[in-house]
């Protein structure tokens, strides 16, 4: 079994705010991230797939295909967007790094399966120091 990671980047804005809570509670929980007009991040997404190396091609997945799947399914949807309003799969979901990565997982898992490839892990860097890792469970 071999693991392949492809890295992608995007820039996006968000506001952490739960409509079910009062403004005061939101401010308390999210602090600066609750700023009414949002703030931005330069995100880095690492997508790891795994599989056996077939004799025929010597590749778990063609990296051109992996890049295309990530670009079309994720990056084009979120890059230079306001995550709270512009992204259909994030509507009514608080756009924390945790929730982003869970949605990314659902989308990429399916898209990769259609390419006969198993998604193993997603790693989302919201900043250099804040990183979320998800393996689908
Ligand atoms: Ni933020």
């Amino acid at each position: 079994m071999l693991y392949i990671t492809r890295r992608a980047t995007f820039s996006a804005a968000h506001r952490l705010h739960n409509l079910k809570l009062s403004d005061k509670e939101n401010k308390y929980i999210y602090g600066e991230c609750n700023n009414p007009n949002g703030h931005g991040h330069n995100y880095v997404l690492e997508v790891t797939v795994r599989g056996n190396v077939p004799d025929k091609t010597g590749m778990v997945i063609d990296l051109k295909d992996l890049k295309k799947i990530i670009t079309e399914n994720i990056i084009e949807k979120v890059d230079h967007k306001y995550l709270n309003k512009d992204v259909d799969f994030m509507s009514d979901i608080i756009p924390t790094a945790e929730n982003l990565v869970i949605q990314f997982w659902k989308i990429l898992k399916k898209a990769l399966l259609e390419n006969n490839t198993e998604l193993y892990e997603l790693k989302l860097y919201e900043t250099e120091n804040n990183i979320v890792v998800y393996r689908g469970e």
Side-chain angles (χ1 to χ4, degrees), residues 41-96:
H41 294 285
N42 294 316
Y43 291 91
V44 177
L45 176 65
E46 290 178 358
V47 178
T48 301
V49 301
R50 70 174 179 180
N52 295 307
V53 184
D55 289 338
K56 188 179 165 190
T57 63
M59 300 186 291
V60 173
I61 183 172
D62 188 326
L63 281 167
K64 286 195 302 293
D65 294 337
L66 182 54
K67 180 188 176 186
K68 189 165 182 265
I69 288 168
I70 299 167
T71 302
E72 289 178 357
N73 290 282
I74 304 294
I75 304 303
E76 285 176 1
K77 306 265 170 72
V78 294
D79 191 30
H80 288 72
K81 297 286 164 49
Y82 182 49
L83 299 172
N84 301 64
K85 290 193 175 168
D86 299 335
V87 179
D88 55 358
F89 61 77
M90 290 305 294
S91 64
D92 298 326
I93 298 174
I94 301 165
T96 56

Side-chain angles (χ1 to χ4, degrees), residues 14-37 39 82 84 93-96 99:
H14 70 173
R15 180 193 188 202
L16 301 185
H17 186 83
N18 185 340
L19 289 170
K20 293 183 184 129
L21 302 177
S22 69
D23 285 351
K24 198 180 161 194
E25 280 175 295
N26 271 295
K27 181 78 193 160
Y28 179 74
I29 293 170
Y30 298 117
E32 286 184 331
C33 299
N34 185 240
N35 180 44
N37 292 321
H39 64 276
Y82 182 49
N84 301 64
I93 298 174
I94 301 165
T96 56
N99 281 335

Side-chain angles (χ1 to χ4, degrees), residues 3 11 14 38-39 43 46 58 63 82 107 110-111 117 120 125 128 135:
Y3 298 75
S11 301
H14 70 173
H39 64 276
Y43 291 91
E46 290 178 358
L63 281 167
Y82 182 49
I107 295 163
K110 187 165 174 283
T117 306
Y120 174 69
Y125 298 71
E128 246 175 69
R135 292 184 183 163

Side-chain angles (χ1 to χ4, degrees), residues 7-10 42-46 123-127 131:
R7 199 175 165 93
T9 59
F10 63 95
N42 294 316
Y43 291 91
V44 177
L45 176 65
E46 290 178 358
K123 198 180 267 193
L124 182 65
Y125 298 71
E126 193 172 64
T127 68
I131 304 151

